[in-house]
Amino acid sequence: KNQVEQSPQSLIILEGKNCTLQCNYTVSPFSNLRWYKQDTGRGPVSLTIMTFSENTKSNGRYTATLDADTKQSSLHITASQLSDSASYICVVISGGSYIPTFGRGTSLIVHP
Amino acid sequence: NAGVTQTPKFRVLKTGQSMTLLCAQDMNHEYMYWYRQDPGMGLRLIHYSVGEGTTAKGEVPDGYNVSRLKKQNFLLGLESAAPSQTSVYFCASSNRVSTDTQYFGPGTRLTVL
């Protein structure tokens, strides 16, 4: 069964600090991996999309990495801001069917 | 350019009642999707459409029906609502299913009593 596991489940950091969120997946075949940010009460917003051949992709202070061999991805947030407080969701798209498998998300709280 | 809109934003139903959720997009996207999001679980795909007049089942299609009569609209219907369908429903759209960004609507919070 295709699965996406995210860690940690929740994280609290101080404003200005960096943090890294983890995503492990067992989806096969693999098409691409996405990271979304979801603010409370809103729909998810795409941060990055990475295909099999991409190791790193950045979007401002957000940098995602992908290791397709170990089936792991990470999302690094640099110099966190209060507005980074949200749920971060890892999604893996299956090749062929293109059915997405969503992780449960990591809840990030940034304190001043 | 409103992006993806959903109506209604909130709804309370009694068990056995029916309703339709409307999703509209103004980005001329071919693909549209309906998801549900439950506490402690990831989003799950209910149904999706790869173009006007076509629909397909996702991961959790039971108890739901969909229609895509117009390219810009994707309707999600509940014929006989059950408490297990209490959830937040999100619609999304994209140009292509494989690698293009999915744009999500703001969600509909549905409670079935």
Side-chain angles (χ1 to χ4, degrees), chain A residues 1 31-32 34 36 38 41-46 49 51 89 93 97-105, chain B residues 35 37 40-45 48 57-59 90 96-107:
Chain A
K1 181 181 179 183
S31 174
N32 61 87
R34 305 161 183 224
Y36 285 90
Q38 185 176 22
R42 294 181 174 270
V45 174
S46 180
I49 300 175
T51 59
I89 303 171
I93 308 297
S97 69
Y98 300 115
I99 297 291
T101 302
F102 285 76
R104 297 183 180 185
Chain B
Y35 296 93
Q37 186 174 39
M41 299 185 69
L43 280 86
R44 291 179 292 171
L45 182 65
Y48 64 100
K57 294 180 180 179
E59 182 185 357
F90 288 99
R96 294 179 301 169
V97 69
S98 57
T99 57
D100 277 6
T101 297
Q102 285 191 14
Y103 295 87
F104 283 79

Side-chain angles (χ1 to χ4, degrees), chain B residues 19-40:
Chain B
M19 77 163 294
T20 300
L21 282 67
L22 170 64
C23 175
Q25 53 93 6
D26 60 4
M27 296 173 281
N28 201 34
H29 285 166
E30 290 293 332
Y31 298 89
M32 297 187 73
Y33 318 81
W34 275 108
Y35 296 93
R36 60 177 289 174
Q37 186 174 39
D38 300 298

Side-chain angles (χ1 to χ4, degrees), chain B residues 6-109:
Chain B
Q6 294 182 231
T7 53
K9 288 184 170 52
F10 303 93
R11 185 71 186 270
V12 178
L13 290 178
K14 294 181 179 179
T15 297
Q17 287 185 319
S18 63
M19 77 163 294
T20 300
L21 282 67
L22 170 64
C23 175
Q25 53 93 6
D26 60 4
M27 296 173 281
N28 201 34
H29 285 166
E30 290 293 332
Y31 298 89
M32 297 187 73
Y33 318 81
W34 275 108
Y35 296 93
R36 60 177 289 174
Q37 186 174 39
D38 300 298
M41 299 185 69
L43 280 86
R44 291 179 292 171
L45 182 65
I46 304 171
H47 286 279
Y48 64 100
S49 169
V50 300
E52 182 179 323
T54 69
T55 63
K57 294 180 180 179
E59 182 185 357
V60 288
D62 293 342
Y64 306 94
N65 57 76
V66 289
S67 64
R68 183 101 180 265
L69 299 180
K70 293 183 179 180
K71 186 177 184 179
Q72 63 268 33
N73 296 336
F74 195 26
L75 304 177
L76 178 70
L78 286 73
E79 290 185 348
S80 179
S84 61
Q85 294 177 305
T86 293
S87 187
V88 180
Y89 292 86
F90 288 99
C91 176
S93 71
S94 68
N95 264 328
R96 294 179 301 169
V97 69
S98 57
T99 57
D100 277 6
T101 297
Q102 285 191 14
Y103 295 87
F104 283 79
T108 294
R109 184 173 295 275

